[in-house]
Amino acid sequence: MTKNAELAAWVDQVAQLTKPARIHWCDGTDAENDAIIAQMLDSGDLIRLNEKTHPNCFLHRSDPQDVARVEHLTFVCTREQEDAGPNNNWLAPEEGHAKVDPLFEGCMRGRTMYVVPYLMGPYGSPYARAGVEITDSPYVVVNMRIMARIGQRALEHIEAGNSIVRGLHSTGDLDPERRFIMHFPDELMIKSIGSGYGGNALLGKKCHALRIASAQARTEGWLAEHMLILGVESPAGETRYIAAAFPSACGKTNLAMLVPPAEFDGWKVWTVGDDIAWMHLADDGQLWAINPEAGFFGVAPGTSLKTNPNCMNTLGRNAIYTNVAVTPDLQPWWEGMDGDKPAELIDWQGRPHDPANGPAAHPNARFTVAASQCPSFSPQGDAPAGVPISAIVFGGRRSTVAPLVFEALDWSHGVFAGAAMASETTAAATGKVGQVRRDPMAMKPFCGYNFADYWQHWLGFGPKSGKLPRIFHVNWFRKDDNGRFMWPGFGDNMRVLEWVLERCAGRAEAVKTPIGYVPEAGALNLDGLDLDRKTVQDLLSIDPRVWHEEIDQIEAYFATYGERLPQALRDQAARIKAALEDQLAA
Ligand code: SAT
Ligand code: MN
């Protein structure tokens, strides 16, 4: 129940539409969580994992047709189609409502309707924003409790008069034909039906903290980005912060929790966030970032003590696993985990594992766990002001073309580098895996308005401050002619982060190329790495012919934004192309 009459009226109205058997206002307490978990264990919605090895951990198996985000069913409903842009599926607001409202009619009959007040961002942060998610999914409630700050304190924030994003969610009948994720930025409203999966259903995450928040950020002068936030502490005890954008399932969680290699004695990486950053230009001229989330919803397969020890040490307790496999004694298991594959496994669909059915864990199997449990969780992770960002890093998954790292020449060029990002698709969204697509700033699925306006918004920061972060582009995923990754990645990415921060401090050496500054031979610390000279050269090489073609493709992509495309981006493409042509002619 609430003192906020508007909120109470909306809850009433939703109840009349969806006809739940009962309404439960979530207070976020342990007792409440225990009761919901007990009821989910009863219904089979959750399975308790091995209490000895994984205390207070649970497995949830999704409907096999409901295991990833559904970009083709995700809509941004603005009055004008142009405002949603070619990067979004669009419906006029009244059409959007008309499409989903009938699906909500009576959809909660016999079910409990949970009202979940939540806060995105640290308590007491001027940058935190509230929302209320109404859902009939207890799985959503227990996950939201880990991912956001839910319950009484969030409700108090709302009752103090702060505005809210309203999210209505029902798993409906899970029929992909009746599944829609609708956003109404002008109404600060989300309606999601037919899916119980993460990004489709935990509405605080991608729907609120990215799609709706990016549109709010544009009008209010800040940035809501698909970025991890990490701190790098030097042996001298100085910590500098990096925000980095990568598409889903491209290693954000691993980078955020990086353990430096042995050669980096005394260096330490601190995790602030692994998925979303809200960044504001503060009075000191610096960009300060908060992580609006309180937990990690990370990809399980590939996570191991080798690839991400901090994550493995976070995961073993108080975690919810979704679509992983289990051993006969109910320990979670996934492909890429340490040790030998157990002889017997139950797969993610609950069947005895048969490799003929594919991997034992779904490739997009996930864990949900509190950030505060992470051994590398930053002492500044809950700081109301956030952390000052020294460098912004953009990165895609590209087996060719993009070098290991380059630095943009200036802010505008950095915005171009972000806007021109491309990456191979992953299992985080339904559809084909491994297709190269343009994924500007890793926001293709998440930008709640026209990308052309979004790039203009980014460009607009340039003249506002002389202390903006430097912008970089990285690619950990380049492959050699035999299809093998050339860069070891994971902890060794520290070598690139060190160069990035040294550049920010005005120290590391670089060569200027048409596409940006690339490390000079010897400027990257490769001590202790078994990489031959040729591989290092190839990793840092920029082939003018290949890049000329790349810029052609970038221009063709930009052209789909027509007149609305900022001239500065057209100019960047033309400048790079001319420089490449000079190189080819020489
Ligand atoms: O499914 S989520 O959107 O929550 C995770 C991701 O795809 O980045
Ligand atoms: Mn993500």
Side-chain angles (χ1 to χ4, degrees), residues 169-226:
H169 169 257
S170 170
T171 44
D173 58 10
L174 291 177
D175 183 339
E177 296 292 316
R178 284 190 288 278
R179 179 176 297 166
F180 293 103
I181 325 294
M182 293 279 177
H183 302 74
F184 305 92
D186 295 338
E187 299 164 60
L188 301 184
M189 164 92 74
I190 304 153
K191 292 183 178 177
S192 164
I193 188 152
S195 168
Y197 169 78
N200 302 331
L202 310 177
L203 301 186
K205 196 172 178 51
K206 300 301 165 74
C207 300
H208 176 165
L210 287 177
R211 296 195 193 94
I212 299 284
S214 62
Q216 288 182 298
R218 179 197 175 201
T219 38
E220 298 169 8
W222 51 285
L223 294 164
E225 299 299 325
H226 192 207

Side-chain angles (χ1 to χ4, degrees), residues 160-505:
N162 291 293
S163 75
I164 57 167
V165 169
R166 289 175 295 170
L168 169 55
H169 169 257
S170 170
T171 44
D173 58 10
L174 291 177
D175 183 339
E177 296 292 316
R178 284 190 288 278
R179 179 176 297 166
F180 293 103
I181 325 294
M182 293 279 177
H183 302 74
F184 305 92
D186 295 338
E187 299 164 60
L188 301 184
M189 164 92 74
I190 304 153
K191 292 183 178 177
S192 164
I193 188 152
S195 168
Y197 169 78
N200 302 331
L202 310 177
L203 301 186
K205 196 172 178 51
K206 300 301 165 74
C207 300
H208 176 165
L210 287 177
R211 296 195 193 94
I212 299 284
S214 62
Q216 288 182 298
R218 179 197 175 201
T219 38
E220 298 169 8
W222 51 285
L223 294 164
E225 299 299 325
H226 192 207
M227 291 179 177
L228 66 91
I229 309 164
L230 61 79
V232 180
E233 185 179 335
S234 71
E238 187 200 358
T239 303
R240 282 166 297 169
Y241 296 90
I242 297 176
F246 296 83
S248 303
C250 289
K252 280 199 300 298
T253 306
N254 293 335
L255 188 63
M257 298 179 191
L258 181 151
V259 176
E263 291 74 22
F264 285 74
D265 195 23
W267 291 81
K268 169 118 185 96
V269 169
W270 295 104
T271 311
V272 179
D274 82 328
D275 197 40
I276 300 177
W278 285 357
M279 302 195 286
H280 292 76
L281 197 56
D283 291 341
D284 64 358
Q286 296 194 87
L287 212 48
W288 286 69
I290 60 162
N291 170 14
E293 299 192 283
F296 307 125
F297 183 68
V299 180
T303 307
S304 69
L305 287 170
K306 244 195 351 258
T307 60
N308 192 341
N310 278 326
C311 193
M312 291 305 282
N313 292 326
T314 307
L315 279 182
R317 58 199 195 284
N318 314 319
I320 298 168
Y321 295 87
T322 301
N323 297 332
V324 300
V326 285
T327 61
D329 67 342
L330 291 175
Q331 298 188 48
W333 191 89
W334 48 79
E335 278 71 15
M337 197 184 249
D338 307 274
D340 294 334
K341 185 172 175 178
E344 260 182 81
L345 284 168
I346 314 292
D347 78 5
W348 65 277
Q349 298 190 58
R351 307 168 298 191
H353 174 51
D354 175 353
N357 290 331
H362 188 276
N364 193 37
R366 298 268 170 169
F367 52 79
T368 319
V369 69
S372 58
Q373 273 190 201
C374 181
S376 59
F377 185 59
S378 165
Q380 298 304 312
D382 288 320
V387 295
I389 300 298
S390 297
I392 287 174
V393 175
F394 293 118
R397 181 188 282 271
R398 291 207 73 178
S399 25
T400 59
V401 184
L404 180 62
V405 59
F406 66 84
E407 181 192 346
L409 304 179
D410 53 33
W411 182 262
S412 290
H413 178 225
V415 175
F416 169 86
M421 259 172 74
S423 193
E424 290 153 24
T425 50
T426 69
T430 55
K432 257 200 165 152
V433 167
Q435 307 284 100
V436 176
R437 72 161 178 183
R438 293 284 145 200
D439 193 348
M441 280 82 166
M443 285 285 278
K444 166 68 188 77
F446 307 122
C447 182
Y449 62 104
N450 191 321
F451 257 149
D453 300 338
Y454 168 82
W455 297 322
Q456 188 55 57
H457 180 51
W458 264 83
L459 288 163
F461 280 82
K464 284 194 188 146
S465 167
K467 291 194 204 154
L468 292 174
R470 293 207 196 190
I471 302 181
F472 298 80
H473 186 285
V474 301
N475 177 23
W476 318 133
F477 300 95
R478 193 132 163 193
K479 289 183 178 167
D480 65 15
D481 295 340
N482 300 315
R484 277 186 296 248
F485 288 117
M486 294 161 77
W487 179 247
F490 304 108
D492 288 306
N493 292 335
M494 180 66 211
R495 301 168 189 279
V496 174
L497 297 188
E498 187 201 22
W499 184 79
V500 161
L501 289 172
E502 283 296 286
R503 287 295 296 170
C504 295

Side-chain angles (χ1 to χ4, degrees), residues 50-108:
N50 190 312
E51 262 298 305
K52 284 213 180 70
T53 60
H54 291 77
N56 200 33
C57 286
F58 303 93
L59 166 68
H60 172 77
R61 294 193 183 113
S62 305
D63 183 286
Q65 301 253 52
D66 184 31
V67 293
R69 281 183 292 101
V70 282
E71 295 180 4
H72 62 296
L73 302 174
T74 299
F75 289 78
V76 169
C77 304
T78 47
R79 201 134 289 294
E80 303 295 328
Q81 179 161 13
E82 270 286 285
D83 292 333
N87 45 305
N88 281 302
N89 300 313
W90 173 83
L91 282 172
E94 54 280 6
E95 288 177 282
H97 289 298
K99 204 163 185 95
V100 289
D101 286 352
L103 304 176
F104 281 102
E105 257 168 45
C107 71
M108 297 189 189

